[in-house]
Amino acid sequence: MIKNSIKYSMRIRLFVLLSVLVLTMLIGLFIIFLITGNINIGLKESEKFIINNHYDVSVKVKGYYENTAAEVLSFSKIVSLDIESKLAEKQFTTDDLTNNPSLLSDVISDELNQVMLYLNRSKSSGAFIILNATVNDKLPDSEYSKAGIYLKNLEPNIVNSTSPTIYMLMGNPNIAYNNNIPLHPNWKMEFNVKDSPFYSMPMDFSTNKTKTPKLYYWSPRFTLPGTYEEIMTCTAPLRDSNGNVFGVCGLDISSMLFKLSFMPDKAMFERTFSMLSPVYENRVNSAQSMIAADYTAKNILSEDDITISNSKKKIYSYKNGDKRFSGYHDYIKLYPEDSVFSDEKWILSVMVPENDVSSYVMKTNLRLLAVCFVLMMSGILISFIISKYYIKPIHNAINIIKQNPGTGTKTNIPEFDDLIECISAREESDPDSLILNEFLNNLRTLSPSERAVFNLYAEDYSAREIAGKLFLSINTIKTHTKHIYAKLDIKSKDELLLYVEMLKESGKKIT
Protein backbone atom coordinates (compact mmCIF):
# COMPACT_ATOMS: atom_id res chain seq x y z
CA MET A 1 0.00 0.00 0.00
CA ILE A 2 1.48 3.33 -1.06
CA LYS A 3 1.05 6.11 1.44
CA ASN A 4 0.10 9.55 0.18
CA SER A 5 2.97 12.02 0.73
CA ILE A 6 2.21 15.31 2.47
CA LYS A 7 1.75 18.10 -0.03
CA TYR A 8 2.86 21.66 0.68
CA SER A 9 1.93 24.73 -1.28
CA MET A 10 4.54 26.86 -3.03
CA ARG A 11 3.98 29.64 -0.50
CA ILE A 12 4.75 27.37 2.46
CA ARG A 13 7.81 26.00 0.68
CA LEU A 14 9.10 29.50 -0.08
CA PHE A 15 8.38 30.69 3.46
CA VAL A 16 10.28 27.76 4.96
CA LEU A 17 13.17 28.30 2.54
CA LEU A 18 13.50 32.00 3.42
CA SER A 19 13.15 31.26 7.15
CA VAL A 20 15.91 28.66 6.95
CA LEU A 21 18.06 31.20 5.10
CA VAL A 22 17.52 33.78 7.86
CA LEU A 23 18.31 31.25 10.60
CA THR A 24 21.43 30.10 8.73
CA MET A 25 22.68 33.68 8.46
CA LEU A 26 22.06 34.29 12.17
CA ILE A 27 23.80 31.05 13.15
CA GLY A 28 26.73 32.05 10.94
CA LEU A 29 26.83 35.47 12.61
CA PHE A 30 26.77 33.81 16.03
CA ILE A 31 29.66 31.51 15.06
CA ILE A 32 31.66 34.52 13.85
CA PHE A 33 31.00 36.26 17.17
CA LEU A 34 32.09 33.12 18.99
CA ILE A 35 35.32 32.72 17.00
CA THR A 36 36.28 36.39 17.24
CA GLY A 37 35.36 36.57 20.93
CA ASN A 38 32.61 39.16 20.44
CA ILE A 39 30.22 36.90 22.32
CA ASN A 40 32.27 37.89 25.38
CA ILE A 41 32.18 41.56 24.52
CA GLY A 42 30.88 42.40 28.00
CA LEU A 43 33.93 40.75 29.60
CA LYS A 44 36.29 42.51 27.20
CA GLU A 45 34.69 45.87 27.94
CA SER A 46 35.02 45.18 31.68
CA GLU A 47 38.69 44.26 31.31
CA LYS A 48 39.38 47.36 29.23
CA PHE A 49 37.57 49.58 31.72
CA ILE A 50 39.52 48.19 34.69
CA ILE A 51 42.93 48.33 32.96
CA ASN A 52 42.39 51.87 31.66
CA ASN A 53 41.14 52.92 35.09
CA HIS A 54 44.26 51.44 36.68
CA TYR A 55 46.49 53.30 34.25
CA ASP A 56 44.82 56.65 34.97
CA VAL A 57 44.97 56.21 38.75
CA SER A 58 48.53 54.85 38.58
CA VAL A 59 49.78 57.93 36.74
CA LYS A 60 48.22 60.20 39.38
CA VAL A 61 49.52 58.16 42.34
CA LYS A 62 53.08 57.91 40.99
CA GLY A 63 53.24 61.63 40.29
CA TYR A 64 51.81 62.60 43.65
CA TYR A 65 53.93 60.20 45.72
CA GLU A 66 57.13 61.10 43.88
CA ASN A 67 56.40 64.78 44.45
CA THR A 68 55.61 64.18 48.14
CA ALA A 69 58.88 62.25 48.65
CA ALA A 70 60.80 65.07 46.98
CA GLU A 71 59.08 67.60 49.25
CA VAL A 72 59.95 65.56 52.35
CA LEU A 73 63.64 65.38 51.35
CA SER A 74 63.66 69.13 50.75
CA PHE A 75 61.82 69.68 54.04
CA SER A 76 64.41 67.56 55.89
CA LYS A 77 67.37 69.35 54.33
CA ILE A 78 66.03 72.86 55.01
CA VAL A 79 64.95 72.14 58.58
CA SER A 80 68.19 70.32 59.44
CA LEU A 81 70.35 73.20 58.23
CA ASP A 82 68.08 75.81 59.81
CA ILE A 83 68.04 74.20 63.27
CA GLU A 84 71.80 73.55 63.22
CA SER A 85 72.62 77.11 62.21
CA LYS A 86 70.31 78.69 64.80
CA LEU A 87 71.73 76.47 67.53
CA ALA A 88 75.23 77.44 66.43
CA GLU A 89 74.32 81.11 66.83
CA LYS A 90 73.59 80.32 70.48
CA GLN A 91 76.76 78.24 70.69
CA PHE A 92 74.86 74.94 70.92
CA THR A 93 74.85 71.79 68.83
CA THR A 94 72.10 69.33 68.07
CA ASP A 95 73.41 67.09 70.87
CA ASP A 96 72.45 69.79 73.36
CA LEU A 97 68.72 69.43 72.53
CA THR A 98 68.50 66.32 74.69
CA ASN A 99 70.25 67.94 77.65
CA ASN A 100 68.64 71.40 77.43
CA PRO A 101 64.84 71.11 77.25
CA SER A 102 64.59 74.91 77.45
CA LEU A 103 65.98 75.12 73.94
CA LEU A 104 63.16 73.05 72.47
CA SER A 105 60.40 75.65 72.54
CA ASP A 106 62.46 78.29 70.70
CA VAL A 107 63.81 75.80 68.14
CA ILE A 108 60.36 74.46 67.36
CA SER A 109 58.80 77.92 67.25
CA ASP A 110 61.45 79.05 64.75
CA GLU A 111 60.49 76.19 62.40
CA LEU A 112 56.73 76.92 62.38
CA ASN A 113 56.94 78.80 59.09
CA GLN A 114 58.78 75.91 57.41
CA VAL A 115 56.16 73.44 58.60
CA MET A 116 53.39 75.71 57.34
CA LEU A 117 55.17 76.24 54.01
CA TYR A 118 55.63 72.55 53.24
CA LEU A 119 52.14 71.70 54.42
CA ASN A 120 50.65 74.16 51.96
CA ARG A 121 52.79 73.51 48.91
CA SER A 122 52.88 69.72 49.19
CA LYS A 123 49.09 69.38 49.04
CA SER A 124 49.26 66.93 51.93
CA SER A 125 47.00 66.63 54.95
CA GLY A 126 49.66 67.10 57.62
CA ALA A 127 53.26 68.23 58.23
CA PHE A 128 55.39 67.67 61.30
CA ILE A 129 58.78 67.89 62.96
CA ILE A 130 59.56 65.48 65.78
CA LEU A 131 62.82 65.97 67.71
CA ASN A 132 64.63 63.24 69.61
CA ALA A 133 64.11 65.09 72.89
CA THR A 134 61.44 65.78 75.49
CA VAL A 135 60.56 68.77 77.59
CA ASN A 136 60.18 66.70 80.77
CA ASP A 137 62.26 63.54 81.04
CA LYS A 138 60.85 62.80 84.49
CA LEU A 139 57.41 61.76 83.20
CA PRO A 140 56.47 58.06 82.89
CA ASP A 141 57.46 56.62 79.49
CA SER A 142 59.40 59.80 78.80
CA GLU A 143 61.71 57.83 76.48
CA TYR A 144 58.75 57.61 74.05
CA SER A 145 57.62 61.23 74.48
CA LYS A 146 59.10 63.53 71.84
CA ALA A 147 58.81 67.29 71.42
CA GLY A 148 57.94 68.82 68.12
CA ILE A 149 55.17 70.38 66.12
CA TYR A 150 52.45 68.74 64.04
CA LEU A 151 50.07 70.78 61.89
CA LYS A 152 46.99 69.25 60.27
CA ASN A 153 45.10 70.59 57.28
CA LEU A 154 41.52 69.43 57.65
CA GLU A 155 40.80 70.65 54.11
CA PRO A 156 43.92 69.67 52.13
CA ASN A 157 45.01 71.92 49.29
CA ILE A 158 44.25 69.29 46.69
CA VAL A 159 40.58 69.58 47.69
CA ASN A 160 40.33 73.23 48.66
CA SER A 161 43.24 75.48 47.73
CA THR A 162 41.61 78.75 48.72
CA SER A 163 40.85 78.32 52.41
CA PRO A 164 42.86 75.56 54.15
CA THR A 165 41.82 74.90 57.74
CA ILE A 166 45.03 74.47 59.77
CA TYR A 167 45.04 73.01 63.30
CA MET A 168 47.87 72.19 65.69
CA LEU A 169 47.76 68.50 66.61
CA MET A 170 51.01 68.48 68.59
CA GLY A 171 53.25 71.18 70.04
CA ASN A 172 53.54 73.96 72.56
CA PRO A 173 50.15 75.68 72.84
CA ASN A 174 51.85 79.08 73.15
CA ILE A 175 53.09 78.70 69.59
CA ALA A 176 49.53 78.12 68.45
CA TYR A 177 48.14 81.05 70.42
CA ASN A 178 50.86 83.44 69.24
CA ASN A 179 50.18 82.53 65.59
CA ASN A 180 46.38 82.30 65.73
CA ILE A 181 46.36 78.57 65.06
CA PRO A 182 43.49 76.67 66.74
CA LEU A 183 44.29 73.52 68.65
CA HIS A 184 43.13 70.23 67.22
CA PRO A 185 40.40 68.46 69.27
CA ASN A 186 42.97 65.67 69.90
CA TRP A 187 45.86 68.02 70.70
CA LYS A 188 48.83 66.70 72.64
CA MET A 189 51.83 68.54 74.03
CA GLU A 190 54.27 65.91 72.81
CA PHE A 191 54.09 62.95 70.54
CA ASN A 192 54.22 59.37 71.79
CA VAL A 193 56.41 57.46 69.33
CA LYS A 194 56.03 54.04 70.92
CA ASP A 195 55.21 51.54 68.15
CA SER A 196 55.54 54.30 65.55
CA PRO A 197 57.55 52.97 62.57
CA PHE A 198 57.26 56.32 60.76
CA TYR A 199 59.56 57.68 63.50
CA SER A 200 61.71 54.68 64.43
CA MET A 201 62.49 53.42 60.90
CA PRO A 202 64.23 56.57 59.59
CA MET A 203 65.94 57.01 62.97
CA ASP A 204 67.23 53.42 63.09
CA PHE A 205 68.51 53.38 59.52
CA SER A 206 70.00 56.88 59.62
CA THR A 207 73.48 55.97 60.93
CA ASN A 208 76.82 57.34 59.92
CA LYS A 209 77.09 54.35 57.58
CA THR A 210 73.90 55.32 55.76
CA LYS A 211 74.40 58.83 54.50
CA THR A 212 72.33 58.59 51.36
CA PRO A 213 70.67 61.96 50.75
CA LYS A 214 67.51 60.19 49.54
CA LEU A 215 66.70 58.36 52.77
CA TYR A 216 62.96 58.53 53.46
CA TYR A 217 60.37 56.04 54.66
CA TRP A 218 56.76 55.44 53.63
CA SER A 219 54.70 53.97 56.42
CA PRO A 220 51.75 51.67 55.73
CA ARG A 221 48.35 52.98 56.77
CA PHE A 222 47.92 53.33 60.53
CA THR A 223 45.70 55.15 63.00
CA LEU A 224 47.32 58.34 64.23
CA PRO A 225 47.87 57.91 68.01
CA GLY A 226 45.29 59.73 70.09
CA THR A 227 42.94 60.18 67.10
CA TYR A 228 40.62 58.16 64.88
CA GLU A 229 42.31 59.39 61.71
CA GLU A 230 43.97 56.86 59.41
CA ILE A 231 47.04 58.16 57.62
CA MET A 232 50.11 57.20 55.62
CA THR A 233 53.32 59.17 56.27
CA CYS A 234 56.53 59.90 54.44
CA THR A 235 59.33 60.77 56.88
CA ALA A 236 63.01 61.63 56.54
CA PRO A 237 65.67 62.02 59.24
CA LEU A 238 66.90 65.37 60.55
CA ARG A 239 70.68 65.15 60.41
CA ASP A 240 73.35 67.75 61.15
CA SER A 241 76.54 68.30 59.18
CA ASN A 242 78.38 65.70 61.27
CA GLY A 243 75.82 63.02 60.41
CA ASN A 244 74.15 63.04 63.83
CA VAL A 245 70.43 62.29 63.63
CA PHE A 246 68.32 64.38 66.00
CA GLY A 247 64.78 63.80 64.82
CA VAL A 248 62.52 63.35 61.84
CA CYS A 249 60.22 65.49 59.72
CA GLY A 250 57.56 64.48 57.29
CA LEU A 251 54.20 64.80 55.60
CA ASP A 252 51.09 62.70 55.98
CA ILE A 253 48.33 61.64 53.59
CA SER A 254 45.00 60.98 55.25
CA SER A 255 42.61 58.27 54.08
CA MET A 256 40.12 60.98 53.17
CA LEU A 257 42.69 62.83 51.06
CA PHE A 258 43.67 59.60 49.29
CA LYS A 259 40.02 58.85 48.59
CA LEU A 260 39.29 62.31 47.20
CA SER A 261 42.48 62.36 45.12
CA PHE A 262 42.57 58.86 43.64
CA MET A 263 38.98 57.71 43.33
CA PRO A 264 38.75 55.71 40.07
CA ASP A 265 36.16 56.23 37.38
CA LYS A 266 32.85 54.57 38.31
CA ALA A 267 31.00 55.06 35.03
CA MET A 268 30.70 51.32 34.34
CA PHE A 269 30.84 49.88 37.86
CA GLU A 270 29.53 51.89 40.80
CA ARG A 271 31.60 49.96 43.35
CA THR A 272 34.99 50.40 41.64
CA PHE A 273 37.80 51.27 44.07
CA SER A 274 41.58 51.66 44.10
CA MET A 275 44.13 50.55 46.70
CA LEU A 276 47.79 51.32 47.44
CA SER A 277 49.06 48.38 49.44
CA PRO A 278 52.18 46.72 50.80
CA VAL A 279 52.35 43.22 49.32
CA TYR A 280 53.95 40.08 50.66
CA GLU A 281 54.34 37.40 47.97
CA ASN A 282 50.75 37.04 46.69
CA ARG A 283 48.96 38.55 49.69
CA VAL A 284 47.91 42.14 50.30
CA ASN A 285 47.48 43.51 53.82
CA SER A 286 44.19 45.37 53.49
CA ALA A 287 44.49 46.78 57.04
CA GLN A 288 47.62 48.67 55.94
CA SER A 289 46.27 49.78 52.55
CA MET A 290 45.18 53.20 51.45
CA ILE A 291 41.78 52.82 49.84
CA ALA A 292 39.88 55.17 47.53
CA ALA A 293 36.33 53.87 47.71
CA ASP A 294 32.87 55.15 48.45
CA TYR A 295 30.84 53.70 51.30
CA THR A 296 29.20 50.94 49.26
CA ALA A 297 32.55 49.59 48.06
CA LYS A 298 34.55 50.02 51.27
CA ASN A 299 31.76 48.45 53.31
CA ILE A 300 32.28 45.07 51.59
CA LEU A 301 36.02 44.98 52.38
CA SER A 302 37.16 43.27 55.56
CA GLU A 303 40.45 43.64 57.43
CA ASP A 304 41.45 40.16 56.24
CA ASP A 305 44.38 39.81 53.87
CA ILE A 306 43.56 39.89 50.17
CA THR A 307 44.85 36.90 48.21
CA ILE A 308 45.86 37.41 44.59
CA SER A 309 45.20 34.52 42.24
CA ASN A 310 47.64 33.53 39.50
CA SER A 311 45.41 34.37 36.57
CA LYS A 312 46.25 33.91 32.88
CA LYS A 313 43.58 36.42 31.93
CA LYS A 314 44.15 40.11 31.41
CA ILE A 315 42.71 40.88 34.82
CA TYR A 316 43.32 39.24 38.18
CA SER A 317 41.03 37.63 40.72
CA TYR A 318 41.23 38.61 44.40
CA LYS A 319 39.78 36.98 47.50
CA ASN A 320 39.07 38.89 50.70
CA GLY A 321 37.41 36.62 53.25
CA ASP A 322 34.31 35.28 51.50
CA LYS A 323 34.28 38.16 49.00
CA ARG A 324 35.76 37.97 45.51
CA PHE A 325 36.92 40.82 43.28
CA SER A 326 38.11 41.26 39.73
CA GLY A 327 40.77 43.84 39.01
CA TYR A 328 44.23 44.75 37.86
CA HIS A 329 47.39 45.67 39.74
CA ASP A 330 50.99 46.52 39.12
CA TYR A 331 54.01 47.24 41.30
CA ILE A 332 54.62 50.86 42.10
CA LYS A 333 58.06 52.11 43.09
CA LEU A 334 58.00 54.24 46.22
CA TYR A 335 61.79 54.09 46.71
CA PRO A 336 64.88 54.44 44.50
CA GLU A 337 67.02 51.36 43.86
CA ASP A 338 69.73 52.43 46.35
CA SER A 339 67.25 52.96 49.23
CA VAL A 340 67.54 50.78 52.33
CA PHE A 341 63.79 50.23 51.98
CA SER A 342 63.83 49.27 48.28
CA ASP A 343 62.96 45.65 49.16
CA GLU A 344 59.53 46.73 50.36
CA LYS A 345 56.99 45.95 47.64
CA TRP A 346 53.91 48.07 47.01
CA ILE A 347 51.18 47.58 44.45
CA LEU A 348 48.49 49.85 43.12
CA SER A 349 45.29 47.99 42.27
CA VAL A 350 41.87 48.82 40.90
CA MET A 351 39.15 46.34 41.83
CA VAL A 352 35.47 45.67 41.22
CA PRO A 353 33.28 43.12 43.03
CA GLU A 354 33.22 39.97 40.90
CA ASN A 355 29.42 39.85 41.06
CA ASP A 356 29.24 43.30 39.46
CA VAL A 357 31.41 42.17 36.52
CA SER A 358 29.40 38.94 36.07
CA SER A 359 26.15 40.89 36.15
CA TYR A 360 27.42 43.35 33.51
CA VAL A 361 28.63 40.53 31.24
CA MET A 362 25.26 38.78 31.55
CA LYS A 363 23.33 41.95 30.74
CA THR A 364 25.54 42.63 27.72
CA ASN A 365 25.09 39.10 26.39
CA LEU A 366 21.33 39.30 26.98
CA ARG A 367 21.23 42.52 24.95
CA LEU A 368 23.14 40.76 22.16
CA LEU A 369 20.75 37.81 22.26
CA ALA A 370 17.80 40.20 22.27
CA VAL A 371 19.15 41.89 19.13
CA CYS A 372 19.62 38.47 17.46
CA PHE A 373 16.07 37.47 18.45
CA VAL A 374 14.63 40.70 17.01
CA LEU A 375 16.61 40.16 13.80
CA MET A 376 15.36 36.57 13.59
CA MET A 377 11.72 37.54 14.11
CA SER A 378 12.06 40.39 11.64
CA GLY A 379 13.57 38.00 9.09
CA ILE A 380 10.75 35.50 9.58
CA LEU A 381 8.13 38.26 9.26
CA ILE A 382 9.77 39.56 6.09
CA SER A 383 9.91 35.97 4.78
CA PHE A 384 6.17 35.62 5.43
CA ILE A 385 5.38 38.87 3.60
CA ILE A 386 7.67 38.03 0.66
CA SER A 387 6.22 34.54 0.34
CA LYS A 388 2.71 35.97 0.28
CA TYR A 389 3.29 38.64 -2.37
CA TYR A 390 5.72 36.57 -4.40
CA ILE A 391 3.39 33.57 -4.74
CA LYS A 392 0.19 35.60 -5.32
CA PRO A 393 0.80 36.39 -9.04
CA ILE A 394 1.93 32.78 -9.62
CA HIS A 395 -1.27 31.53 -8.00
CA ASN A 396 -3.35 33.86 -10.19
CA ALA A 397 -1.52 32.64 -13.31
CA ILE A 398 -2.21 29.01 -12.42
CA ASN A 399 -5.93 29.82 -11.97
CA ILE A 400 -6.00 31.42 -15.41
CA ILE A 401 -4.43 28.33 -16.94
CA LYS A 402 -6.86 26.04 -15.08
CA GLN A 403 -9.96 28.01 -15.99
CA ASN A 404 -9.46 29.22 -19.57
CA PRO A 405 -6.05 30.07 -20.98
CA GLY A 406 -7.56 31.32 -24.21
CA THR A 407 -8.98 34.52 -22.73
CA GLY A 408 -5.75 36.42 -23.42
CA THR A 409 -5.38 37.58 -19.81
CA LYS A 410 -1.78 38.65 -18.93
CA THR A 411 -0.11 37.78 -15.62
CA ASN A 412 2.97 40.05 -16.13
CA ILE A 413 5.11 36.98 -15.46
CA PRO A 414 6.91 36.27 -18.77
CA GLU A 415 7.26 32.53 -18.17
CA PHE A 416 3.54 32.08 -17.40
CA ASP A 417 2.41 34.39 -20.20
CA ASP A 418 4.47 32.30 -22.65
CA LEU A 419 2.94 29.10 -21.24
CA ILE A 420 -0.63 30.46 -21.58
CA GLU A 421 0.04 31.53 -25.17
CA CYS A 422 1.44 28.08 -25.96
CA ILE A 423 -1.58 26.30 -24.43
CA SER A 424 -3.99 28.66 -26.23
CA ALA A 425 -2.22 28.08 -29.53
CA ARG A 426 -2.43 24.31 -29.12
CA GLU A 427 -6.11 24.41 -28.23
CA GLU A 428 -6.90 26.64 -31.19
CA SER A 429 -5.09 24.26 -33.56
CA ASP A 430 -6.78 21.12 -32.13
CA PRO A 431 -10.58 20.94 -32.64
CA ASP A 432 -10.81 17.84 -30.50
CA SER A 433 -9.21 19.70 -27.67
CA LEU A 434 -11.80 22.46 -28.00
CA ILE A 435 -14.64 19.89 -27.91
CA LEU A 436 -13.17 18.16 -24.90
CA ASN A 437 -12.64 21.45 -23.06
CA GLU A 438 -16.23 22.40 -23.75
CA PHE A 439 -17.33 18.98 -22.44
CA LEU A 440 -15.26 19.53 -19.27
CA ASN A 441 -16.74 22.98 -18.77
CA ASN A 442 -20.25 21.50 -19.15
CA LEU A 443 -19.34 18.73 -16.73
CA ARG A 444 -18.70 21.33 -14.00
CA THR A 445 -22.35 22.42 -14.25
CA LEU A 446 -23.68 19.07 -12.95
CA SER A 447 -25.18 18.98 -9.48
CA PRO A 448 -23.60 16.64 -6.91
CA SER A 449 -26.38 14.06 -7.41
CA GLU A 450 -26.07 14.26 -11.18
CA ARG A 451 -22.28 14.00 -10.89
CA ALA A 452 -22.62 10.82 -8.82
CA VAL A 453 -24.80 9.28 -11.54
CA PHE A 454 -22.39 10.48 -14.26
CA ASN A 455 -19.39 8.89 -12.53
CA LEU A 456 -21.13 5.52 -12.43
CA TYR A 457 -22.14 5.86 -16.12
CA ALA A 458 -18.47 6.58 -16.87
CA GLU A 459 -17.62 3.22 -15.30
CA ASP A 460 -20.13 1.59 -17.67
CA TYR A 461 -22.82 0.84 -15.07
CA SER A 462 -26.42 0.50 -16.30
CA ALA A 463 -29.26 2.71 -15.05
CA ARG A 464 -30.70 -0.12 -12.95
CA GLU A 465 -27.28 -0.93 -11.45
CA ILE A 466 -26.80 2.74 -10.62
CA ALA A 467 -30.21 2.85 -8.88
CA GLY A 468 -29.15 -0.10 -6.75
CA LYS A 469 -25.79 1.41 -5.83
CA LEU A 470 -27.18 4.84 -4.94
CA PHE A 471 -30.35 3.40 -3.31
CA LEU A 472 -32.53 5.47 -5.59
CA SER A 473 -35.56 4.53 -7.71
CA ILE A 474 -35.12 3.85 -11.41
CA ASN A 475 -37.35 6.83 -12.19
CA THR A 476 -35.06 9.13 -10.23
CA ILE A 477 -32.07 7.79 -12.15
CA LYS A 478 -33.88 8.37 -15.43
CA THR A 479 -34.65 11.97 -14.42
CA HIS A 480 -30.95 12.59 -13.54
CA THR A 481 -29.91 10.98 -16.79
CA LYS A 482 -32.18 13.32 -18.78
CA HIS A 483 -30.63 16.35 -17.06
CA ILE A 484 -27.10 15.04 -17.58
CA TYR A 485 -27.62 14.56 -21.34
CA ALA A 486 -29.09 18.00 -21.65
CA LYS A 487 -26.26 19.74 -19.78
CA LEU A 488 -23.53 17.82 -21.60
CA ASP A 489 -25.23 18.22 -24.97
CA ILE A 490 -25.18 14.49 -25.72
CA LYS A 491 -27.86 12.02 -26.82
CA SER A 492 -26.91 8.66 -25.32
CA LYS A 493 -24.83 6.71 -22.88
CA ASP A 494 -22.59 5.55 -25.73
CA GLU A 495 -21.77 9.16 -26.57
CA LEU A 496 -21.01 9.79 -22.88
CA LEU A 497 -18.61 6.85 -22.77
CA LEU A 498 -16.94 8.10 -25.96
CA TYR A 499 -16.16 11.46 -24.39
CA VAL A 500 -14.81 9.71 -21.29
CA GLU A 501 -12.49 7.58 -23.42
CA MET A 502 -11.28 10.60 -25.40
CA LEU A 503 -10.50 12.47 -22.21
CA LYS A 504 -8.46 9.55 -20.91
CA GLU A 505 -6.50 9.31 -24.13
CA SER A 506 -5.73 13.04 -24.17
CA GLY A 507 -4.49 12.87 -20.59
CA LYS A 508 -7.15 15.24 -19.26
CA LYS A 509 -8.70 14.44 -15.94
CA ILE A 510 -12.43 14.35 -15.40
CA THR A 511 -12.79 16.94 -12.63
Side-chain angles (χ1 to χ4, degrees):
M1 181 178 174
I2 300 176
K3 295 182 178 179
N4 292 329
S5 60
I6 301 175
K7 299 180 180 179
Y8 297 102
S9 66
M10 291 181 63
R11 180 181 175 186
I12 293 177
R13 293 172 185 269
L14 181 62
F15 172 69
V16 172
L17 176 64
L18 293 176
S19 298
V20 170
L21 179 62
V22 170
L23 291 176
T24 303
M25 292 176 64
L26 285 175
I27 291 172
L29 185 63
F30 182 81
I31 293 173
I32 292 173
F33 282 161
L34 194 63
I35 294 174
T36 58
N38 288 328
I39 196 67
N40 293 322
I41 190 170
L43 181 59
K44 289 187 174 182
E45 288 178 351
S46 302
E47 291 175 347
K48 183 178 180 181
F49 172 80
I50 291 172
I51 292 173
N52 289 345
N53 226 340
H54 175 271
Y55 175 79
D56 293 339
V57 175
S58 179
V59 169
K60 294 178 183 178
V61 169
K62 286 179 181 178
Y64 179 76
Y65 274 70
E66 287 174 359
N67 179 71
T68 301
E71 291 288 353
V72 168
L73 291 173
S74 173
F75 189 18
S76 170
K77 182 179 180 180
I78 294 297
V79 170
S80 296
L81 292 173
D82 198 34
I83 290 178
E84 185 178 18
S85 64
K86 288 180 178 178
L87 286 174
E89 291 175 1
K90 299 177 182 180
Q91 299 182 345
F92 290 104
T93 67
T94 55
D95 291 335
D96 295 319
L97 291 173
T98 305
N99 303 320
N100 295 277
S102 59
L103 287 173
L104 294 174
S105 180
D106 291 339
V107 169
I108 294 169
S109 180
D110 290 341
E111 299 308 314
L112 174 66
N113 289 336
Q114 291 297 337
V115 177
M116 187 74 75
L117 171 66
Y118 279 92
L119 174 60
N120 287 327
R121 83 180 198 180
S122 67
K123 298 181 180 179
S124 63
S125 53
F128 53 87
I129 296 173
I130 302 176
L131 302 178
N132 187 20
T134 179
V135 173
N136 189 349
D137 58 4
K138 304 299 181 183
L139 294 174
D141 294 332
S142 61
E143 68 270 27
Y144 301 116
S145 184
K146 304 299 179 182
I149 185 170
Y150 200 142
L151 299 183
K152 291 290 294 180
N153 183 359
L154 300 188
E155 294 183 12
N157 293 7
I158 199 168
V159 179
N160 188 341
S161 59
T162 57
S163 57
T165 306
I166 309 298
Y167 285 82
M168 178 182 283
L169 177 65
M170 185 193 76
N172 192 320
N174 291 327
I175 298 175
Y177 296 149
N178 293 335
N179 292 277
N180 296 319
I181 300 174
L183 295 179
H184 193 278
N186 301 113
W187 169 85
K188 294 289 187 297
M189 179 70 178
E190 293 191 339
F191 206 86
N192 188 334
V193 297
K194 185 178 181 181
D195 300 324
S196 298
F198 74 95
Y199 175 83
S200 61
M201 293 295 280
M203 292 289 290
D204 293 344
F205 282 90
S206 299
T207 65
N208 289 333
K209 296 180 181 179
T210 309
K211 293 185 177 181
T212 172
K214 293 185 178 181
L215 179 63
Y216 58 87
Y217 173 73
W218 282 105
S219 72
R221 188 189 83 192
F222 67 97
T223 301
L224 192 61
T227 72
Y228 296 101
E229 186 175 10
E230 295 177 331
I231 63 170
M232 180 178 181
T233 61
C234 183
T235 51
L238 298 174
R239 189 160 40 193
D240 63 21
S241 55
N242 295 320
N244 298 315
V245 178
F246 59 93
V248 301
C249 69
L251 302 169
D252 78 37
I253 303 169
S254 68
S255 292
M256 179 58 69
L257 176 57
F258 187 89
K259 170 184 174 180
L260 296 174
S261 304
F262 307 116
M263 180 73 77
D265 180 18
K266 300 188 294 179
M268 185 176 291
F269 300 108
E270 183 66 26
R271 296 192 291 180
T272 308
F273 62 92
S274 61
M275 294 178 63
L276 179 63
S277 319
V279 61
Y280 313 97
E281 295 182 351
N282 68 330
R283 302 181 73 85
V284 172
N285 190 330
S286 59
Q288 295 181 336
S289 302
M290 298 293 283
I291 305 171
D294 60 16
Y295 176 79
T296 56
K298 193 170 184 179
N299 192 44
I300 61 177
L301 280 170
S302 68
E303 293 296 317
D304 297 333
D305 285 353
I306 297 175
T307 304
I308 305 171
S309 71
N310 295 322
S311 174
K312 294 183 180 180
K313 299 179 180 179
K314 291 184 178 180
I315 58 177
Y316 296 86
S317 179
Y318 307 85
K319 185 178 180 182
N320 174 235
D322 60 344
K323 303 293 192 303
R324 292 185 178 275
F325 302 89
S326 296
Y328 185 80
H329 68 267
D330 199 2
Y331 288 99
I332 186 166
K333 292 181 64 174
L334 295 185
Y335 301 102
E337 295 295 335
D338 59 348
S339 172
V340 294
F341 305 113
S342 60
D343 290 338
E344 294 188 4
K345 303 297 182 183
W346 291 75
I347 63 169
L348 178 72
S349 55
V350 171
M351 301 185 194
V352 179
E354 203 170 76
N355 290 339
D356 293 9
V357 176
S358 300
S359 177
Y360 179 80
V361 172
M362 183 178 293
K363 288 180 181 177
T364 303
N365 288 341
L366 285 176
R367 285 197 295 268
L368 180 62
L369 290 174
V371 170
C372 290
F373 179 76
V374 170
L375 289 175
M376 181 185 71
M377 296 307 296
S378 299
I380 291 175
L381 178 62
I382 292 172
S383 299
F384 177 80
I385 295 173
I386 290 176
S387 66
K388 178 180 179 180
Y389 287 96
Y390 182 82
I391 295 299
K392 185 176 181 180
I394 297 177
H395 181 71
N396 292 338
I398 291 173
N399 285 336
I400 292 173
I401 294 173
K402 287 167 62 178
Q403 292 173 2
N404 192 353
T407 60
T409 305
K410 298 292 184 181
T411 64
N412 295 323
I413 301 176
E415 292 82 359
F416 278 97
D417 287 342
D418 290 344
L419 178 61
I420 292 171
E421 289 180 5
C422 182
I423 293 173
S424 298
R426 285 187 179 182
E427 289 183 348
E428 289 174 1
S429 62
D430 186 358
D432 291 339
S433 178
L434 292 174
I435 294 171
L436 292 177
N437 286 336
E438 183 179 357
F439 181 82
L440 288 174
N441 289 334
N442 292 337
L443 190 59
R444 296 188 186 99
T445 64
L446 298 181
S447 68
S449 299
E450 294 167 350
R451 184 55 188 263
V453 173
F454 170 84
N455 290 339
L456 291 173
Y457 274 133
E459 295 179 15
D460 203 15
Y461 284 96
S462 65
R464 191 167 297 280
E465 290 172 335
I466 294 173
K469 275 187 168 293
L470 297 180
F471 304 102
L472 298 174
S473 67
I474 188 64
N475 292 329
T476 302
I477 298 302
K478 289 180 179 180
T479 301
H480 286 323
T481 301
K482 182 180 179 181
H483 293 159
I484 291 170
Y485 289 172
K487 290 181 179 180
L488 298 181
D489 194 19
I490 60 177
K491 303 299 182 181
S492 66
K493 176 185 174 183
D494 291 338
E495 190 176 354
L496 182 149
L497 291 174
L498 177 62
Y499 273 109
V500 170
E501 187 64 26
M502 291 174 63
L503 286 171
K504 288 180 180 179
E505 291 178 358
S506 66
K508 296 180 180 291
K509 293 183 179 181
I510 303 174
T511 57

